[in-house]
Amino acid sequence: MSQDIAFRDVCKSFGTTIALSHFAIAVQDGELVTLLGPSGCGKSTALRIAAGFEVADSGDVSIGMSSVIALPPSKRGIGMVFQNYSLFPHLTVRENLEFGMRVRRIARAQRTARVDELLELVRLGGLADRYPHQVSGGQQQRVALARALAVQPRVLLLDEPLSALDATVRVEVRDEIRRIQRESGIATLFVTHDQEEALAISDRICVMRDGRVEQVGTPQAVYRFPSTPFVARFVGKVNDLEVELRSSTTVRLRDHAMEIAIPSTTLSAGEARLLVRPEDVRLVSIREPQALHGVVENLHFGGATTAVDVAVTGTGQVVRVSDVTRAVHAGVGEAVGVILDTERALVTRQ
């Protein structure tokens, strides 16, 4: 695969605030990469530098192996979709899609054919003559996406494009964006702070923090094998437990005598944190050997799965168990056991 867009050692500050620090990532042809992180981590700044709306302090951005850092936005071959869609209210859906092609003086017959193709792609064929206020929010977002694709850009940039939609429509449009991106085969950089969104839509995820890259990998790798405590805590749910590190392979929960096996660590003995996913905790009978004893504090019914909060006896800590098979039928206040599968757990001082 060729690299359709690449950031190399990009730095950007606003006064004393560092927005990007030696930021580097490449998006391959046909790939959708998500920049994921909390507000202020530099996600949108990276997109704006790629589009040419912000100037980097240092570093380079290339598209198709050629540097574009000195080019104006109109010369970079980029399509961009913003949070607020930015559709022209006085133009119909068809006219919105034609706008960029008119600016580039593309012939009418070519414009008409391209718009028809795009309307089919985004499944809005019957709405071509409506105005933006006459279609739903989800349909407006698809119009914005089609308009960005109209001029056949090399790279597509999506800056939190689903943030203005309600939860149900958001999932529907998210899946539509993924379908359209796959069918068009365009390299896409997608920005969000929503972990579920990133896990569902991405080929790879770039987790960012304070302008830096924390981890890049497939959704499965980032979720199942987080490389830093920040990634473990930010992407999905995690039990963050106070433990005493007894050896390189064992810990004990604070104020508890039972030792728990962990992946080998180079940390020295002492106080630490054990980070373990709720689905890596099993709810068992209190009579089960090696189980930590506790009491059910709360139940969170989620339809297909139920999360159970268990207060571990004598520790003052609560462990969440999810994806419960209901092999143990326990209600609030009942005594239960929990077993931690720590094969994928992280032990950290942070």
Side-chain angles (χ1 to χ4, degrees):
M1 280 189 176
S2 62
Q3 292 182 355
D4 260 25
I5 183 167
F7 296 79
R8 295 182 179 86
D9 203 29
V10 175
C11 296
K12 176 66 178 178
S13 295
F14 297 98
T16 58
T17 301
I18 297 174
L20 291 174
S21 178
H22 304 286
F23 179 73
I25 190 171
V27 182
Q28 308 294 334
D29 183 32
E31 186 180 33
L32 190 153
V33 173
T34 295
L35 302 183
L36 174 67
S39 297
C41 72
K43 308 182 299 293
S44 293
T45 298
L47 247 62
R48 292 180 64 81
I49 288 173
F53 302 144
E54 294 285 355
V55 178
D57 297 335
S58 60
D60 191 27
V61 177
S62 61
I63 294 177
M65 307 305 291
S66 298
S67 176
V68 297
I69 202 74
L71 296 179
S74 61
K75 301 294 185 182
R76 295 193 179 196
I78 282 177
M80 189 159 183
V81 179
F82 300 92
Q83 297 178 36
N84 59 1
Y85 318 149
S86 299
L87 299 177
F88 298 113
H90 62 290
L91 300 181
T92 65
V93 168
R94 177 176 292 278
E95 289 166 342
N96 265 281
L97 299 191
E98 282 189 332
F99 182 81
M101 292 184 283
R102 283 180 178 272
V103 171
R104 288 164 175 78
R105 301 183 183 281
I106 294 173
R108 177 181 293 181
Q110 289 179 267
R111 295 201 309 265
T112 300
R114 179 62 175 157
V115 168
D116 289 343
E117 176 187 331
L118 289 167
L119 288 171
E120 182 70 21
L121 180 66
V122 299
R123 297 174 180 170
L124 293 175
L127 305 179
D129 296 324
R130 295 191 186 182
Y131 290 90
H133 72 274
Q134 295 175 317
V135 299
S136 70
Q139 290 167 337
Q140 288 181 37
Q141 187 58 280
R142 281 188 275 165
V143 174
L145 180 59
R147 188 178 64 179
L149 293 171
V151 294
Q152 299 180 309
R154 288 290 304 273
V155 175
L156 181 63
L157 307 178
L158 304 174
D159 190 5
E160 302 213 39
L162 308 177
S163 60
L165 303 177
D166 64 51
T168 302
V169 176
R170 186 172 183 141
V171 171
E172 177 186 324
V173 178
R174 177 195 76 192
D175 294 343
E176 280 292 285
I177 286 175
R178 186 54 165 147
R179 176 188 65 82
I180 292 164
Q181 186 271 334
R182 280 180 171 148
E183 290 184 18
S184 65
I186 190 169
T188 301
L189 202 54
F190 185 97
V191 160
T192 185
H193 61 269
D194 187 308
Q195 301 98 18
E196 181 181 344
E197 201 165 272
L199 291 169
I201 204 172
S202 310
D203 290 309
R204 287 187 298 142
I205 296 173
C206 172
V207 183
M208 297 179 63
R209 179 188 186 191
D210 297 333
R212 303 187 311 274
V213 175
E214 285 276 317
Q215 183 175 355
V216 179
T218 65
Q220 295 84 354
V222 169
Y223 181 83
R224 295 186 181 279
F225 303 102
S227 59
T228 69
F230 173 82
V231 174
R233 293 183 176 109
F234 188 77
V235 181
K237 304 293 184 183
V238 70
N239 288 300
D240 190 347
L241 304 171
E242 296 179 45
V243 295
E244 180 188 356
L245 184 57
R246 303 286 292 173
S247 71
S248 63
T249 57
T250 59
V251 297
R252 294 194 313 197
L253 262 65
R254 185 194 62 199
D255 300 326
H256 201 285
M258 183 179 293
E259 293 199 347
I260 301 168
I262 58 168
S264 181
T265 178
T266 58
L267 296 177
S268 58
E271 292 182 358
R273 314 290 302 191
L274 178 66
L275 307 180
V276 58
R277 298 287 188 198
E279 62 269 27
D280 290 331
V281 185
R282 287 190 292 126
L283 190 68
V284 297
S285 166
I286 200 166
R287 295 184 295 275
E288 185 85 13
Q290 301 304 310
L292 296 167
H293 293 179
V295 174
V296 175
E297 186 175 82
N298 210 347
L299 296 172
H300 306 271
F301 179 67
T305 61
T306 299
V308 181
D309 291 336
V310 178
V312 181
T313 302
T315 69
Q317 300 190 77
V318 175
V319 174
R320 174 161 292 191
V321 187
S322 70
D323 199 21
V324 178
T325 63
R326 306 304 290 162
V328 177
H329 298 276
V332 174
E334 292 188 42
V336 294
V338 291
I339 293 179
L340 278 60
D341 178 357
T342 59
E343 183 179 353
R344 296 188 284 114
L346 279 181
V347 180
T348 177
R349 299 286 191 207
Q350 302 175 31

